[in-house]
Amino acid sequence: MSKITDFIEQARKELLDLSGRNKLVNFRLPKAKGILLSNSAAEVFDLIKEKRLKILPLPEEEEQEKTSKSQALLNTKSEENVGLNKPKISKVKMKALETDYDSKALERRLKKTASEARSYIDERGINVLYLAIGFLSWFEDKDKEKIFKAPLALTPVSLRVSDDKKSFFMEPFEEEELDLHENTSLRTKLEHEFNIKLPQLNDDDPLFDLESYFKKVEDSISKQSGWEVDRKNNVISFFDFSKFVMYQDLTEENWINAQNPDWSD
């Protein structure tokens, strides 16, 4: 049995990528795909209780103001004076996911993201498009200048376009309930390399509160100077859990005791 267990353990180690190449421990938004949301984590958590959420570009008046500021700066006017004489527009909060992209840029990113998500399903049979809510900002002890971002709570989603092709929506993947999953890659990395045990994310509990979970995460990382929970950055992007699922399936107690009870001690 020792040769078999050694072989399986070696296979597990090859599956477990906890390096900076893994987006689940070091996320960077791709240049042309993925959607960075401007809603806070608390807003997103409240919104996902809806079955279907519209994804909005930057409001037109803000888009125009942004353009005016850029033009004013190009004309060497003082940035402090730009837009000061414009009346303030009161914003009405909608039950929607908001972004800071203009309408054309958002449409390009949504189309690219939706197309690639469909390709993953068609070619590999898995969904890798997730909504990530809240991030852990962390760094290696040896290099405190390089900040890593790792998602804390994720849920699988789909992007849908309206019949008139003018609006995009985010929905639960395969119309299932939107349930949150913890970042098991991050949990494993922090346990193995920093001796930090993250709290369990149990959104099945009817009393589950995302902010309380974030505070427990902050308690668990309190001894790591400079580490923090980022509640501002929330994204729709690509995260692949498939190798980590295989890593977990190959634990010795799973493949010996569960699958082959005669092999157990």
Side-chain angles (χ1 to χ4, degrees):
M1 284 298 297
S2 61
K3 288 185 178 179
I4 296 175
T5 54
D6 290 346
F7 177 81
I8 296 293
E9 187 57 31
Q10 182 58 37
R12 291 181 76 236
K13 287 179 180 177
E14 291 173 3
L15 285 169
L16 188 61
D17 180 9
L18 300 180
S19 70
R21 296 186 300 272
N22 186 344
K23 291 182 181 179
L24 287 162
V25 296
N26 178 29
F27 177 76
R28 285 168 290 183
L29 188 70
K31 288 183 179 179
K33 57 192 175 185
I35 309 299
L36 179 63
L37 305 175
S38 57
N39 308 77
S40 69
E43 289 173 340
V44 173
F45 180 63
D46 187 56
L47 285 168
I48 61 173
K49 296 166 187 173
E50 303 289 329
K51 276 285 187 182
R52 198 180 203 219
L53 288 169
K54 191 172 184 179
I55 304 172
L56 300 177
L58 192 69
E60 189 174 340
E61 61 271 9
E62 291 188 31
E63 196 174 317
Q64 291 172 349
E65 183 180 350
K66 200 174 178 181
T67 303
S68 298
K69 285 185 177 182
S70 299
Q71 189 60 48
L73 289 173
L74 288 173
N75 292 335
T76 68
K77 292 181 180 179
S78 169
E79 183 178 6
E80 294 177 351
N81 294 327
V82 175
L84 286 181
N85 296 324
K86 292 184 179 180
K88 290 187 177 180
I89 302 169
S90 58
K91 294 172 66 176
V92 178
K93 273 287 182 185
M94 296 177 62
K95 282 193 173 183
L97 297 172
E98 300 172 352
T99 73
D100 284 334
Y101 304 105
D102 63 47
S103 53
K104 290 183 179 179
L106 178 62
E107 182 180 5
R108 286 195 301 269
R109 295 188 76 94
L110 284 167
K111 286 182 176 179
K112 176 75 172 173
T113 304
S115 174
E116 189 156 325
R118 285 193 300 270
S119 295
Y120 265 98
I121 295 171
D122 293 341
E123 296 170 11
R124 299 173 57 188
I126 59 171
N127 176 63
V128 293
L129 187 65
Y130 282 78
L131 166 66
I133 309 176
F135 280 76
L136 176 67
S137 296
W138 67 279
F139 46 78
E140 302 277 5
D141 289 336
K142 59 187 178 183
D143 186 5
K144 296 188 177 182
E145 296 299 317
K146 186 175 181 181
I147 298 176
F148 297 92
K149 295 273 189 179
L152 287 170
L154 304 102
T155 188
V157 296
S158 298
L159 294 177
R160 297 282 183 263
V161 65
S162 61
D163 292 337
D164 61 8
K165 308 296 183 184
K166 293 183 179 180
S167 301
F168 273 85
F169 298 85
M170 186 196 78
E171 298 176 343
F173 179 62
E174 294 186 339
E175 298 184 357
E176 295 178 1
E177 292 293 330
L178 270 172
D179 58 329
L180 295 180
H181 303 281
E182 67 178 10
N183 185 343
T184 45
S185 292
L186 178 63
R187 167 183 289 282
T188 304
K189 183 176 182 68
L190 296 190
E191 286 182 2
H192 284 189
E193 299 180 16
F194 296 91
N195 197 30
I196 293 174
K197 190 173 181 63
L198 289 177
Q200 293 286 341
L201 193 160
N202 183 19
D203 72 324
D204 291 333
D205 184 345
L207 299 178
F208 175 77
D209 177 68
L210 185 67
E211 180 57 28
S212 296
Y213 172 72
F214 285 161
K215 287 179 179 177
K216 289 177 182 177
V217 172
E218 288 173 330
D219 290 340
S220 69
I221 63 170
S222 59
K223 293 182 180 179
Q224 300 295 129
S225 177
W227 290 27
E228 62 181 12
V229 173
D230 179 357
R231 295 166 172 82
K232 295 179 181 178
N233 286 317
N234 307 282
V235 303
I236 301 170
S237 194
F238 299 98
F239 300 93
D240 190 347
F241 286 86
S242 57
K243 287 187 177 181
F244 194 88
V245 170
M246 287 189 284
Y247 168 83
Q248 290 181 311
D249 287 344
L250 286 173
T251 57
E252 188 172 336
E253 58 268 25
N254 283 343
W255 68 270
I256 290 184
N257 296 336
Q259 302 298 327
N260 301 284
D262 292 340
W263 289 5
S264 60
D265 293 334

